[in-house]
């Protein structure tokens, strides 16, 4: 069972954005996230809104999903216009899941083309789909490339069969280099997702997975630590004593080993869990999230954010489909963020990126004297880079606070120190 959705205020059926949030959007990037909730098997660690079925009944399922997704895209365009939000071309588009490639490639292209026809798209914009290595053919990838996709992200997670079994991952590890080679041959950028810290995973097994991913020569590699969420099958297994999670020291060793191997191979970190070969192969879509820009989330359970208004859709595909087919907002609830909350969230997100957190964001919520003490302490612990003070010893408003390697390992502690209300 997936966790409950957050609690917010009732969302209006017309989906209108408050005027206070609609104003100023023209200076912000606008992206699209399309959630595809279908999977062949629901992985034991997954708490995303996914379903291991293709037919929900009531005429709703895999075969109708593209129609329902495009219906919400049309609704989004009408709602933004009615709210007075200036029309902006899409900065990025990302299809996530679930397993987006459970949908036929031509349906994914149809959804994308609908969005581009309605909103337009920036020149050179990144268009990504996630994919299971077992769920795509060469012809699928060619269809996606011809239809406007520029990037594919393969969920590899590990090459070790025992680790994949713990995670309930069913793909064949030998398929990963094959599909990566296909995508590269077609001209798609390629990202590979890895997960470390699975129960019983050793440092040697993790190193094997990282080295394998590097050998496939993708443009981008993500290394996410496993987070066991309440309500998942894996959480229940751990609670029953079937599995034991690795300790913090082993998790740190895994992160450091991946950093070493990736750096040697020419990858550079640009966000705590993400590495790319160059500035041009970063995930622009994820950077839009970390920079707290605007996006509309399409699909059941998808989250959206427009300049301080955040909402989330009904989770189950049946009531979601009924709403969009009726031309109504599928939002379950929403919240309008105050300036303090927006500043705090900016701190929590921007501290994760290589360019760092602008000091101006901190000074907006932190008394300068207290901030100076916090920065001095973090500097003494070796968690942040130097050169953040003026000649008088005050925090430099033109500087950015950047994490060291040790700071990346202890990012939560850095964030707690920089957020005065949660120390």
């Amino acid at each position: 069972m997936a966790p409950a959705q957050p609690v917010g205020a009732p969302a209006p059926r017309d989906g209108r954005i408050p005027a206070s949030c609609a104003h100023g959007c023209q200076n912000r990037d606008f992206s699209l996230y399309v959630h595809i909730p279908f999977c062949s098997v629901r992985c034991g660690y997954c708490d995303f809104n996914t379903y291991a079925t293709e037919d929900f009944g009531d005429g709703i399922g895999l075969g109708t999903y593209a129609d329902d997704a495009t219906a919400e895209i049309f609704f989004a365009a009408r709602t933004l216009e009615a709210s007075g939000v200036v029309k902006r071309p899409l900065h990025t588009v990302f299809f996530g899941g679930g397993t987006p490639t459970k949908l036929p490639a031509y349906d994914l292209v149809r959804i994308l083309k609908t969005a581009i026809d309605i909103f337009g798209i920036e020149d050179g914009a990144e268009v990504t789909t996630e994919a299971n290595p077992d769920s795509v053919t060469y012809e699928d990838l060619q269809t996606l490339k011809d239809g406007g996709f520029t990037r594919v992200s393969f969920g590899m997670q590990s090459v070790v069969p025992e680790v994949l079994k713990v995670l309930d991952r069913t793909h064949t590890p030998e398929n990963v280099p094959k599909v990566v080679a296909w995508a590269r041959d077609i001209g798609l950028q390629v990202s590979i997702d890895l997960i470390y810290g699975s129960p019983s995973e050793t440092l040697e097994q993790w190193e094997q997975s990282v080295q394998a991913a590097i050998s496939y020569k993708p443009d981008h590699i993500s290394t996410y630590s496993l987070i066991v969420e309440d309500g998942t099958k894996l959480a229940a297994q751990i609670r029953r004593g079937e599995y034991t999670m690795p300790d913090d020291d082993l998790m740190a060793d895994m992160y450091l080993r991946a950093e070493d191997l990736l750096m040697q191979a020419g990858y550079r970190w640009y966000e705590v869990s993400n590495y790319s070969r160059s500035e041009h192969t970063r995930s622009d879509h994820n950077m839009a999230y970390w920079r707290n820009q605007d996006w509309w989330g399409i699909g059941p359970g998808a989250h959206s954010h427009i300049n301080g208004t955040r909402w989330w859709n009904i989770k189950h595909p049946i009531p979601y489909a009924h709403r969009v087919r009726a031309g109504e907002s599928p939002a379950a609830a929403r919240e309008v963020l105050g300036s303090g909350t927006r500043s705090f969230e900016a701190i929590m997100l921007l501290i994760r990126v290589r360019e760092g957190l602008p000091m101006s964001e901190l000074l907006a919520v932190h008394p300068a004297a207290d901030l100076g003490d916090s920065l001095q302490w973090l500097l003494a612990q070796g968690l942040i880079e130097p050169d953040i003070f003026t000649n008088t010893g005050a925090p430099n408003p033109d500087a950015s606070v950047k994490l060291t390697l040790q700071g990346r390992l202890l990012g939560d502690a850095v964030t707690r120190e920089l957020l005065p209300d949660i120390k």
Side-chain angles (χ1 to χ4, degrees):
M1 182 177 67
Q5 288 182 300
V7 177
R13 285 297 180 97
D14 64 7
R16 293 285 186 94
I17 310 298
S20 59
C21 296
H23 179 71
C25 283
Q26 67 272 17
N27 301 317
R28 300 168 59 82
D29 293 331
F30 176 61
S31 295
L32 194 72
Y33 170 76
V34 183
H35 184 67
I36 311 296
F38 302 95
C39 281
S40 297
V41 175
R42 185 172 171 83
C43 299
Y45 65 93
C46 179
D47 75 328
F48 296 150
N49 190 41
T50 63
Y51 303 86
T53 183
E54 296 183 4
D55 185 1
F56 298 103
D58 204 19
I60 295 165
L62 188 71
T64 61
Y65 193 76
D67 290 334
D68 293 333
T70 54
E72 190 182 355
I73 293 172
F74 281 109
F75 175 83
R78 292 194 304 270
T79 299
L80 292 173
E81 181 179 10
S83 301
V85 176
V86 173
K87 184 177 180 180
R88 293 161 288 169
L90 296 169
H91 178 65
T92 64
V93 182
F94 192 100
F95 287 68
T99 305
T101 45
K102 282 283 288 180
L103 248 63
Y106 58 79
D107 269 349
L108 298 177
V109 168
R110 179 157 66 94
I111 295 170
L112 173 62
K113 286 192 171 182
T114 299
I116 293 174
D117 287 345
I118 291 175
F119 292 109
I121 194 166
E122 294 178 7
D123 290 342
E126 172 192 282
V127 179
T128 303
T129 185
E130 294 178 336
N132 183 300
D134 287 353
S135 68
V136 288
T137 65
Y138 187 96
E139 291 73 23
D140 290 334
L141 293 170
Q142 186 67 66
T143 297
L144 294 173
K145 176 66 166 60
D146 293 343
F149 284 79
T150 66
R151 187 173 179 272
V152 61
S153 178
F154 291 112
M156 172 175 148
Q157 319 313 354
S158 175
V159 294
V160 179
E162 296 90 339
V163 174
L164 293 173
K165 183 177 180 181
V166 169
L167 296 175
D168 286 333
R169 296 290 294 186
T170 59
H171 72 266
T172 306
E174 291 77 15
N175 280 344
V176 178
K178 180 174 64 177
V179 295
V180 169
W182 287 348
R184 291 173 58 84
D185 178 64
I186 288 166
L188 292 164
Q189 283 193 16
V190 177
S191 178
I192 287 178
D193 285 354
L194 299 175
I195 290 179
Y196 67 92
S198 300
S200 305
E201 184 179 28
T202 67
L203 182 61
E204 292 72 25
Q205 288 173 326
W206 169 238
E207 181 175 331
Q208 182 182 345
S209 293
V210 176
Q211 288 178 326
I214 290 170
S215 73
Y216 307 150
K217 297 182 170 54
D219 304 284
H220 181 280
I221 296 177
S222 299
T223 58
Y224 296 115
S225 63
L226 178 64
I227 298 174
V228 180
E229 301 286 0
D230 289 341
T232 61
K233 174 185 172 183
L234 184 57
Q237 291 172 313
I238 292 170
R239 191 166 52 249
R240 293 194 297 265
E242 296 175 27
Y243 293 126
T244 302
M245 289 295 290
D247 61 30
D248 290 343
D249 288 341
L250 178 54
M251 294 288 280
D253 288 343
M254 288 177 166
Y255 185 89
L256 293 172
R257 188 61 184 134
E259 165 84 7
D260 184 47
L261 291 169
L262 289 163
M263 289 284 287
Q264 289 179 39
Y267 294 87
R268 296 292 180 269
W269 82 283
Y270 70 94
E271 189 275 340
V272 168
S273 301
N274 288 272
Y275 297 78
S276 66
R277 287 193 176 275
S278 73
E279 300 292 315
H280 303 295
T281 56
R282 293 180 173 192
S283 170
D284 290 339
H285 191 80
N286 285 342
M287 287 300 293
Y289 285 158
W290 294 317
R291 289 171 175 159
N292 224 9
Q293 296 297 305
D294 292 346
W295 69 91
W296 192 294
I298 301 292
H303 286 229
S304 303
H305 173 258
I306 301 291
N307 198 21
T309 297
R310 182 163 56 211
W311 68 94
W312 43 96
N313 285 350
I314 297 167
K315 293 185 72 171
H316 198 276
I318 290 179
Y320 165 81
H322 287 163
R323 288 273 194 96
V324 297
R325 292 176 187 183
E328 298 178 346
S329 169
R334 78 175 187 186
E335 57 184 335
V336 179
L337 308 179
S339 59
T341 300
R342 294 183 70 174
S343 293
F344 278 21
E345 290 189 358
I347 291 169
M348 289 187 287
L349 293 167
L350 288 171
I351 195 64
R352 297 178 61 88
V353 301
R354 190 174 69 195
E355 289 79 7
L357 168 64
M359 193 74 73
S360 56
E361 294 282 356
L362 288 169
L363 290 169
V365 297
H366 232 309
D370 291 347
L371 178 59
D373 291 342
S374 292
L375 293 173
Q376 289 286 6
W377 184 84
L378 292 169
L379 201 56
Q381 303 304 310
L383 302 179
I384 59 174
E385 300 284 356
D387 300 325
I388 53 174
F389 295 101
T390 64
N391 292 336
T392 64
N396 183 352
D398 297 322
S400 292
V401 181
K402 302 177 183 179
L403 295 177
T404 62
L405 177 56
Q406 183 67 14
R408 282 186 268 155
L409 287 172
L410 298 172
D412 288 345
V414 175
T415 301
R416 284 195 298 271
E417 184 63 31
L418 294 177
L419 292 177
D421 285 357
I422 62 171
K423 284 185 188 177

